[in-house]
Amino acid sequence: MLSRELSLYLEHQVRVGFFGSGVGLSLILGFSVAYACYYLSSIAKKPQLVTGGESFSRFLQNHCPVVTETYYPTVWCWESRGQTLLRPFITSKPSVQYRNELIKTADGGQISLDWFDNCNSRCYMDATTRPTILLLPGLTGTSKESYILHMIHLSEDLGYRCVVFNNRGVAGENLLTPRTYCCANTEDLETVIHHVHSLYPSAPFLAAGVSMGGIQLLILAHTSSQGCEIEPHVRLCAGHRHMFVKQIDMDHVMKAKSIREFDKRFTSVMFGYQTIDDYYTDASPNRRLKSVGIPVLCLNSVDDVFSPSHAIPIETAKQNPNVALVLTSYGGHIGFLEGLWPRQSTYMDRVFKQFVQAMVEHGHELSSM
């Protein structure tokens, strides 16, 4: 008992002496000032805006100013791995009521589309002319991902309609044919685009892709981060294993320890590539960037853990007036957290909202420049 009381007394005296003398407070203030100086001088920076033409650059500066403003990453979580890992847990998931539609493909398969019709839109009450935003999640992502829900919430505020393209087999629908998807194959995406456009031919039509979804858009355009994990894709194949056993050695596939091994044993075989390098070459959007014929904005962080900065095609982008790259110093992979407690919005969300609004309301300026 005496020992416990002595311990508490000494602890109290040390605490009082440390802070009461002002030494502790001075250390805390000194550290805070030093950290603030380091953050403002080295962490908070304006993104690098790379465009292939002055017209697109002026358009973005006038109608999408966020791409030229200083990006302030969350002060306690600006490192790439922290941004990447924490976003799914920190950001909120707005409630969205979807209308599901299953459409057939030429090979007998089916694609699940989740619609947010925004029937209460006050800006675009006529459904036939209501702007439509096609959203493409990342690898194994669905319409339930937090970043997709935030894009829909922002689109709802603007009065737009959204439709989410779920890749085959990831959204709970049955896989009807022994085929999934990959970065290089855009047949399903083309089917979806033709279907959506046929439903609303008079409505402005835009698309936004995240991670693998962005790669597919860039390849199809001929677009914010790229990268992938092995475990979710292996789980996807395990759930539909019976569909592939006749053409692929699934026991060998399930033993894959890396995404390269998985692509070598499964993806490249399924889509008829001779080697894994042939698949990766075909899946790379960099060589197609020169021929992109529509305005495309690509957001990427140079500290992305999955997409190294040296792989970003800066010089190629400079050769195409339809392409703009927005490169932040920090942000991780689909992170871009900002603010003290980034629950409601991220830098990526603000870029998305300003750009789609700029294209819907002022896109005609690009054709006249």
Side-chain angles (χ1 to χ4, degrees):
M1 185 70 178
L2 181 62
S3 175
R4 180 174 179 275
E5 290 181 352
L6 180 61
S7 176
L8 291 174
Y9 172 77
L10 291 175
E11 181 182 345
H12 174 72
Q13 287 299 104
V14 171
R15 185 167 61 248
V16 171
F18 184 69
F19 290 102
S21 64
V23 176
L25 182 60
S26 297
L27 288 174
I28 292 175
L29 289 176
F31 175 80
S32 299
V33 170
Y35 185 84
C37 291
Y38 173 73
Y39 176 87
L40 293 174
S41 62
S42 302
I43 306 301
K45 298 179 180 180
K46 290 185 178 181
Q48 180 184 0
L49 177 61
V50 180
T51 62
E54 287 298 321
S55 297
F56 202 1
S57 179
R58 287 196 303 270
F59 176 85
L60 292 173
Q61 292 176 42
N62 292 335
H63 304 299
C64 191
V66 65
V67 302
T68 62
E69 298 170 357
T70 301
Y71 165 48
Y72 295 92
T74 297
V75 294
W76 52 269
C77 178
W78 47 264
E79 196 270 337
S80 61
R81 287 163 293 187
Q83 288 259 338
T84 302
L85 294 174
L86 289 180
R87 173 174 176 140
F89 301 101
I90 292 179
T91 53
S92 62
K93 288 192 172 184
S95 177
V96 174
Q97 295 297 319
Y98 288 118
R99 172 178 62 86
N100 184 257
E101 179 186 18
L102 293 175
I103 63 173
K104 299 297 182 181
T105 60
D107 69 331
Q110 63 180 357
I111 301 172
S112 175
L113 301 179
D114 282 323
W115 288 87
F116 175 73
D117 296 301
N118 203 5
C119 296
N120 296 323
S121 173
R122 296 182 179 180
C123 302
Y124 301 93
M125 292 182 286
D126 184 356
T128 62
T129 58
R130 185 177 303 147
T132 303
I133 314 296
L134 173 63
L135 301 177
L136 284 71
L139 182 74
T140 73
T142 69
S143 58
K144 297 180 181 179
E145 304 301 324
S146 62
Y147 54 83
I148 293 293
L149 297 175
H150 276 267
M151 288 180 173
I152 291 176
H153 181 67
L154 295 171
S155 300
E156 179 183 15
D157 292 341
L158 295 172
Y160 305 161
R161 169 178 47 232
C162 292
V163 54
V164 184
F165 166 38
N166 299 296
N167 283 296
R168 297 194 195 195
V170 302
E173 80 282 6
N174 292 327
L175 199 61
L176 302 182
T177 59
R179 170 178 170 173
T180 55
Y181 55 92
C182 72
C183 295
N185 189 277
T186 60
E187 291 178 8
D188 284 355
L189 177 55
E190 293 175 40
T191 299
V192 170
I193 289 176
H194 289 312
H195 173 72
V196 173
H197 182 65
S198 67
L199 294 177
Y200 304 103
S202 301
F205 189 22
L206 295 86
V210 178
S211 191
M212 191 191 77
I215 296 176
Q216 291 177 319
L217 281 181
L218 265 178
I219 291 176
L220 187 60
H222 227 34
T223 125
S224 311
S225 304
Q226 68 179 31
C228 42
E229 301 175 23
I230 178 64
E231 185 180 355
H233 215 157
V234 168
R235 287 202 306 264
L236 168 65
C237 291
H240 300 284
R241 179 172 180 152
H242 64 284
M243 297 296 296
F244 311 116
V245 292
K246 292 184 178 180
Q247 64 183 103
I248 297 176
D249 183 352
M250 292 304 297
D251 289 334
H252 191 49
V253 170
M254 300 307 293
K255 294 177 182 177
K257 300 299 182 182
S258 68
I259 191 64
R260 184 178 179 85
E261 287 185 359
F262 177 86
D263 284 339
K264 182 178 181 179
R265 301 173 185 181
F266 184 84
T267 310
S268 59
V269 175
M270 170 174 289
F271 289 93
Y273 291 98
Q274 294 294 321
T275 67
I276 182 63
D277 292 328
D278 289 339
Y279 165 55
Y280 284 157
T281 298
D282 199 33
S284 174
N286 294 0
R287 62 192 182 92
R288 296 179 171 89
L289 208 60
K290 291 182 181 180
S291 55
V292 170
I294 57 176
V296 172
L297 178 67
C298 304
L299 171 64
N300 213 112
S301 170
V302 297
D303 74 342
D304 191 323
V305 294
F306 294 117
S307 179
S309 58
H310 63 78
I312 300 176
I314 294 178
E315 295 304 318
T316 305
K318 291 179 179 179
Q319 302 174 32
N320 190 330
N322 293 309
V323 174
L325 306 181
V326 178
L327 308 176
T328 60
S329 298
Y330 298 93
H333 184 71
I334 324 179
F336 301 104
L337 301 176
E338 59 183 355
L340 290 177
W341 189 246
R343 285 280 295 167
Q344 303 301 325
S345 179
T346 68
Y347 180 77
M348 185 177 81
D349 296 333
R350 293 196 292 129
V351 171
F352 166 80
K353 183 177 182 179
Q354 288 192 17
F355 184 63
V356 296
Q357 184 176 18
M359 291 303 300
V360 169
E361 298 180 5
H362 307 285
H364 61 277
E365 297 179 8
L366 288 174
S367 59
S368 61
M369 287 181 175

